[in-house]
Every structure is written in C-alpha cells, then in structure tokens.
Amino acid sequence: MMSNDFVLAVVDGDSKNKVKVAGKEGKISEVTERQLSKIFGVKGYPTTVFLKSDGTKIAPISGFLPADRFLLVLKFISTDAYEEMSFQAFTQKQKS
C-alpha cells in the first residue's frame, strides 16, 4: 500500500546532509535534513509526516504505531477521508 499510494522519503533529523526541496511556487531550495525536520515540526522519533502533492502538511504522527493502527492511518490519508471527517470518526466507520 505504501509504495502504491505514497511517495516515501526517509529523513535523518540529525543529519547535516543537504537535500533539495521544492517550495510552493516550485522554487528549489537546499536544506539540511535537520532543517527539514524542523520545518515540519518534528520533535521526536519516529515521526511520520503526511503531505499533499503540493507539499502542504496533512498531519504528523509521532511515535510508534502497531501495524494494524498504522494501516488505518494509511487508509485514512490515501482515501482523502481526512478532508471529510476526524480520524476517530473514520475508525468508527471502519468498525461498522
């Protein structure tokens, strides 16, 4: 599911390695992986950040999630359900 519905990137929040990122206007900038982590508000590890195709942040998830719970999150994001309802409402709908 992840490789079919998402573009995956791993960022080392302690790294000084530079990466190229596109801004909202399409302008390419170089930042360190550490700076990128700060831009997205990462405060601890692991953190998963979901973005729209234009780079707008959808939601960050901090900490470890068991596989079954993470799969629900992936479905919530990939189906755009986050546009219509809370995650709690989504999980209740999945149970029924």
Side-chain angles (χ1 to χ4, degrees):
M1 178 177 197
M2 296 223 19
S3 61
N4 288 333
D5 296 331
F6 298 90
V7 175
L8 307 176
V10 177
V11 175
D12 178 352
D14 295 323
S15 174
K16 294 181 182 176
N17 290 332
K18 292 196 173 191
V19 294
K20 292 181 180 181
V21 295
K24 291 191 182 212
E25 297 82 36
K27 181 181 173 190
I28 303 295
S29 302
E30 262 195 12
V31 297
T32 66
E33 290 180 66
R34 179 183 291 171
Q35 290 169 321
L36 189 59
S37 294
K38 287 182 181 179
I39 289 168
F40 287 116
V42 174
K43 295 189 181 3
Y45 306 109
T47 296
T48 304
V49 178
F50 292 95
L51 308 171
K52 292 183 181 182
S53 60
D54 68 359
T56 305
K57 187 166 48 171
I58 298 170
I61 298 175
S62 297
F64 171 82
L65 288 178
D68 60 334
R69 187 82 169 159
F70 194 69
L71 184 57
L72 271 176
V73 171
L74 295 177
K75 288 179 182 178
F76 180 65
I77 301 294
S78 68
T79 60
D80 295 332
Y82 66 89
E83 301 262 2
E84 303 168 7
M85 66 183 79
S86 69
F87 182 66
Q88 184 177 6
F90 179 79
T91 56
Q92 290 299 319
K93 185 177 176 185
Q94 297 299 305
K95 290 178 184 177
S96 54

